[in-house]
């Protein structure tokens, strides 16, 4: 009886060939991200597996997004120069690069993978709505990035759902707790 209890307390493990297949499916089904194959995925609550990765850098020139500019093709496109912006508009213009023109550091991501598609999709949509309702900093909740479905492609594959969120960063709990 003690062996059975000890086995239940151990973290859930996944066979190496299944891990390799999962990384292959993630590369095919979620092409905008690179996943760290040296980091072993871990199992969390609600039967989710977590895979760590990074967002791939964009190949095209970073776009400048200015409020009020329309992308409607039926209307003529007009360019505004830097001198046309007022000081208030300047703060609202965002670019994908840093002010020095350097390419940004790719952000860390976590892929939550589960066979429970409906549950993970609801979780993703709730995260989106919570982010919209939360404070301006949004520091108390993960940032949802995208949701993907991975259909089975080989015998033995199961349909899976992938919720991509921005990695929250380092765990500071160990710094706060004295052991």
């Amino acid at each position: 009886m003690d062996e059975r209890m000890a086995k239940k307390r151990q973290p859930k493990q996944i066979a190496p060939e299944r891990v390799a297949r999962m990384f292959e499916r993630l590369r095919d089904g979620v092409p905008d991200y690179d996943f760290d194959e040296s980091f072993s995925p871990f199992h969390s609550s609600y039967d989710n597996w977590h895979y760590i990765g990074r967002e791939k850098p964009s190949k095209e020139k970073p776009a400048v997004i200015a409020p009020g500019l329309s992308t409607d093709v039926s209307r003529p496109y007009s360019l505004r120069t830097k001198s046309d912006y007022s000081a208030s508009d300047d703060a609202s213009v965002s670019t994908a690069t840093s002010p020095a023109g350097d390419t940004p550091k790719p952000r860390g991501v976590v892929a939550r993978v589960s066979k429970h598609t409906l549950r993970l999709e609801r979780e993703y949509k709730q995260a989106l709505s919570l982010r919209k309702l939360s404070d301006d900093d949004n520091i108390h909740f993960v940032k949802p990035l995208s949701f993907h479905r991975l259909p089975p492609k080989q015998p033995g594959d199961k349909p899976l759902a992938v919720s991509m969120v921005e990695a929250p960063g380092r765990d500071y709990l160990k710094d706060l707790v004295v052991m």
Side-chain angles (χ1 to χ4, degrees), residues 90-107:
D90 238 0
S92 62
V93 174
S94 63
T95 62
T97 61
S98 65
D102 300 331
T103 56
K105 180 180 168 189
R107 69 176 149 190

Side-chain angles (χ1 to χ4, degrees), residues 127-142:
L128 284 175
S129 62
L130 279 173
R131 291 280 297 186
K132 288 178 186 174
L133 295 174
S134 71
D135 58 347
D136 291 337
D137 294 342
N138 287 316
I139 59 173
H140 301 293
F141 204 74
V142 294

Side-chain angles (χ1 to χ4, degrees), residues 115-160:
K115 62 182 177 183
H116 304 286
T117 306
L118 182 60
R119 181 188 296 155
L120 196 61
E121 187 172 8
R122 284 181 178 169
E123 179 183 299
Y124 175 77
K125 289 186 178 187
Q126 285 178 342
L128 284 175
S129 62
L130 279 173
R131 291 280 297 186
K132 288 178 186 174
L133 295 174
S134 71
D135 58 347
D136 291 337
D137 294 342
N138 287 316
I139 59 173
H140 301 293
F141 204 74
V142 294
K143 181 179 181 183
L145 300 173
S146 59
F147 184 83
H148 305 271
R149 294 177 191 269
L150 302 180
K153 292 188 176 183
Q154 292 182 359
D157 284 353
K158 294 180 181 174
L160 297 173

Side-chain angles (χ1 to χ4, degrees), residues 15-169:
E17 60 275 358
R18 289 185 63 199
V19 172
R21 176 67 185 133
M22 193 65 222
F23 278 117
E24 184 181 322
R25 288 184 73 186
L26 284 171
R27 273 192 304 275
D28 293 343
V30 190
D32 297 335
Y33 302 95
D34 284 324
F35 296 96
D36 185 4
E37 295 188 33
S38 66
F39 187 86
S40 180
F42 62 91
H43 189 256
S44 70
S45 60
Y46 297 111
D47 203 21
N48 290 326
W49 287 93
H50 292 232
Y51 292 81
I52 307 299
R54 293 220 170 266
E55 189 173 36
K56 286 184 181 176
S58 177
K59 290 184 177 108
E60 64 240 11
K61 185 178 177 185
V64 175
I65 303 155
L69 288 181
S70 173
T71 57
D72 187 6
V73 293
S74 65
R75 298 174 68 192
Y77 178 75
S78 66
L79 292 174
R80 290 173 44 181
T81 63
K82 182 80 171 163
S83 61
D84 291 337
Y85 290 114
S86 68
S88 63
D89 283 339
D90 238 0
S92 62
V93 174
S94 63
T95 62
T97 61
S98 65
D102 300 331
T103 56
K105 180 180 168 189
R107 69 176 149 190
V109 295
V110 176
R112 293 173 52 90
V113 181
S114 179
K115 62 182 177 183
H116 304 286
T117 306
L118 182 60
R119 181 188 296 155
L120 196 61
E121 187 172 8
R122 284 181 178 169
E123 179 183 299
Y124 175 77
K125 289 186 178 187
Q126 285 178 342
L128 284 175
S129 62
L130 279 173
R131 291 280 297 186
K132 288 178 186 174
L133 295 174
S134 71
D135 58 347
D136 291 337
D137 294 342
N138 287 316
I139 59 173
H140 301 293
F141 204 74
V142 294
K143 181 179 181 183
L145 300 173
S146 59
F147 184 83
H148 305 271
R149 294 177 191 269
L150 302 180
K153 292 188 176 183
Q154 292 182 359
D157 284 353
K158 294 180 181 174
L160 297 173
V162 180
S163 174
M164 298 299 299
V165 298
E166 188 172 357

